[in-house]
């Protein structure tokens, strides 16, 4: 693929050059251009100028798939706006890899990128996932993992399931699965190493037991129809309507 490309673009050009040497890939006469969050506005015009001369450019990542929590979105946006074609050759994605090995529901999930740095902002941000109906995936710095896990346990309780995926597809790959209580005990105050992906189970699996749902359904059925009661309780507790409906049928039979 690179043999047909006129310009190579990378966030970390030094690492890219080293990798090309290791894999015996020659840059030839092709320039390698740095593109990141700091120089993006300046570099986009250079790249678009290359494309205007009926030439091609490749945004290359030194690890994983470009544009997944990496700079480049605005470059793609500008390229499309100018009418040029965009093609992709997907590489390994830590998001998909983590979902695959986590053992948590993978039919629906949300990717939330890097967690906020400040604890107050992180707490506010994570609060919105307390009753999430889908699996959630986050990036986190290894040095902040311990504090993040403690914050999660405070918000979600010790029984919420989680997976910590470290150094995926690399030599020291490690995946720790369990409840927040178990994972917190494992990591304690030690500093994790490497690149981390956090996979968090849907909230409705552990935040409310069946007795709690039964209780709320009985209260709702005194005021509403069965159908409206199911909708009310599902929205109130942040649960799936399918689960509340199934338990509602049990309550209806018992009354």
């Amino acid at each position: 693929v690179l043999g047909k490309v006129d310009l190579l673009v990378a966030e970390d050009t030094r690492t890219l050059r080293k990798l090309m040497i290791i894999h015996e890939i020659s840059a030839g006469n092709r320039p390698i251009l740095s593109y990141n969050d700091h120089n993006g506005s300046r570099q986009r015009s250079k790249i678009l100028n290359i494309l205007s001369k009926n030439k091609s450019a490749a945004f290359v990542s030194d690890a994983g798939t470009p544009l997944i929590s990496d700079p480049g979105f605005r470059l793609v946006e500008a390229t499309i706006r100018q009418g040029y074609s965009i093609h992709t050759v997907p590489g390994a994605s830590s998001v998909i890899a983590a979902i695959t090995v986590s053992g948590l529901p993978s039919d629906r999930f949300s990717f939330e990128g890097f967690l906020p740095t400040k604890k107050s902002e992180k707490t506010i941000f994570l609060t919105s996932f307390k009753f999430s109906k889908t699996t959630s995936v986050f990036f986190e710095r290894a040095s902040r993992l311990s504090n993040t896990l403690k914050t999660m346990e405070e918000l979600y309780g010790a029984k919420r399931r989680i997976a910590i995926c470290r150094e995926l597809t690399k030599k020291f790959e490690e995946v720790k699965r369990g409840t927040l209580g178990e994972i917190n005990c494992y990591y304690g105050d030690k500093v994790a190493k490497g690149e981390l992906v956090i996979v968090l189970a849907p909230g409705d699996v552990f935040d409310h037991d069946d007795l709690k749902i039964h209780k709320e359904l009985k209260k709702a059925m005194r005021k509403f129809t069965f159908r409206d009661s199911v909708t009310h309780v599902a929205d109130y507790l942040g649960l799936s309507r399918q689960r509340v409906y199934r338990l509602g049928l049990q309550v209806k039979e018992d009354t």
Side-chain angles (χ1 to χ4, degrees), residues 183-218:
I183 298 300
N184 253 323
C185 286
Y186 174 79
Y187 281 102
D189 294 322
K190 66 183 179 182
V191 178
K193 296 181 179 180
E195 298 180 354
L196 299 173
V197 183
I198 299 175
V199 186
L200 180 71
D204 63 343
V205 176
F206 293 104
D207 287 320
H208 301 283
D209 58 24
D210 289 355
L211 291 177
K212 170 71 173 177
I213 301 171
H214 282 177
K215 181 179 178 181
E216 293 298 332
L217 280 167
K218 288 177 180 177

Side-chain angles (χ1 to χ4, degrees), residues 15-249:
T15 301
L16 177 60
R17 290 180 188 277
K18 288 181 180 178
L19 286 172
M20 291 179 73
I21 292 173
I22 291 172
H23 294 287
E24 298 182 346
I25 299 173
S26 173
N29 295 322
R30 294 170 298 188
I32 300 179
L33 192 69
S34 169
Y35 185 95
N36 53 54
D37 287 330
H38 303 291
N39 67 13
S41 59
R42 189 171 64 252
Q43 300 291 61
R44 278 194 293 276
S45 60
K46 296 180 182 178
I47 297 169
L48 291 173
N49 183 53
I50 291 289
L51 297 179
S52 70
K53 298 176 181 178
N54 200 29
K55 294 185 177 181
S56 59
F59 196 122
V60 185
S61 173
D62 60 277
T65 299
L67 306 182
I68 303 299
S69 273
D70 283 329
F73 158 70
R74 296 196 181 281
L75 174 60
V76 171
E77 183 184 43
T79 303
I80 294 172
R81 192 165 56 242
Q82 293 295 322
Y84 299 116
S85 298
I86 298 286
H87 304 281
T88 181
V89 181
S93 168
S94 60
V95 177
I96 301 302
I99 280 286
T100 303
V101 301
S102 69
L104 298 176
S106 59
D107 53 336
R108 293 177 62 201
F109 67 89
S110 64
F111 171 56
E112 305 297 333
F114 279 98
L115 288 169
T117 303
K118 294 183 179 179
K119 183 176 180 180
S120 58
E121 294 177 359
K122 184 183 296 183
T123 300
I124 294 172
F125 179 73
L126 288 174
T127 298
S128 63
F129 299 94
K130 184 174 178 64
F131 302 122
S132 174
K133 298 176 183 178
T134 65
T135 298
S136 304
V137 184
F138 310 94
F139 286 165
E140 181 57 297
R141 305 292 183 192
S143 59
R144 295 197 288 262
L145 178 62
S146 181
N147 287 332
T148 294
L149 290 173
K150 290 175 183 176
T151 299
M152 285 183 163
E153 186 171 353
E154 290 171 2
L155 290 172
Y156 310 140
K159 293 185 178 180
R160 185 84 166 259
R161 282 191 300 165
I162 193 171
I164 306 299
C165 306
R166 188 174 68 86
E167 292 290 274
L168 289 171
T169 75
K170 299 178 182 178
K171 181 178 180 180
F172 298 105
E173 176 178 308
E174 177 186 61
V175 180
K176 288 295 178 184
R177 309 173 185 87
T179 64
L180 271 167
E182 293 167 342
I183 298 300
N184 253 323
C185 286
Y186 174 79
Y187 281 102
D189 294 322
K190 66 183 179 182
V191 178
K193 296 181 179 180
E195 298 180 354
L196 299 173
V197 183
I198 299 175
V199 186
L200 180 71
D204 63 343
V205 176
F206 293 104
D207 287 320
H208 301 283
D209 58 24
D210 289 355
L211 291 177
K212 170 71 173 177
I213 301 171
H214 282 177
K215 181 179 178 181
E216 293 298 332
L217 280 167
K218 288 177 180 177
K219 286 167 56 178
M221 287 180 184
R222 297 189 192 111
K223 303 176 183 178
F224 311 117
T225 64
F226 173 76
R227 185 173 182 176
D228 289 344
S229 296
V230 169
T231 300
H232 169 76
V233 172
D235 291 343
Y236 175 65
L237 296 179
L239 305 174
S240 68
R241 282 173 171 75
Q242 292 88 342
R243 184 183 179 197
V244 177
Y245 179 83
R246 175 176 55 80
L247 295 174
L249 291 176

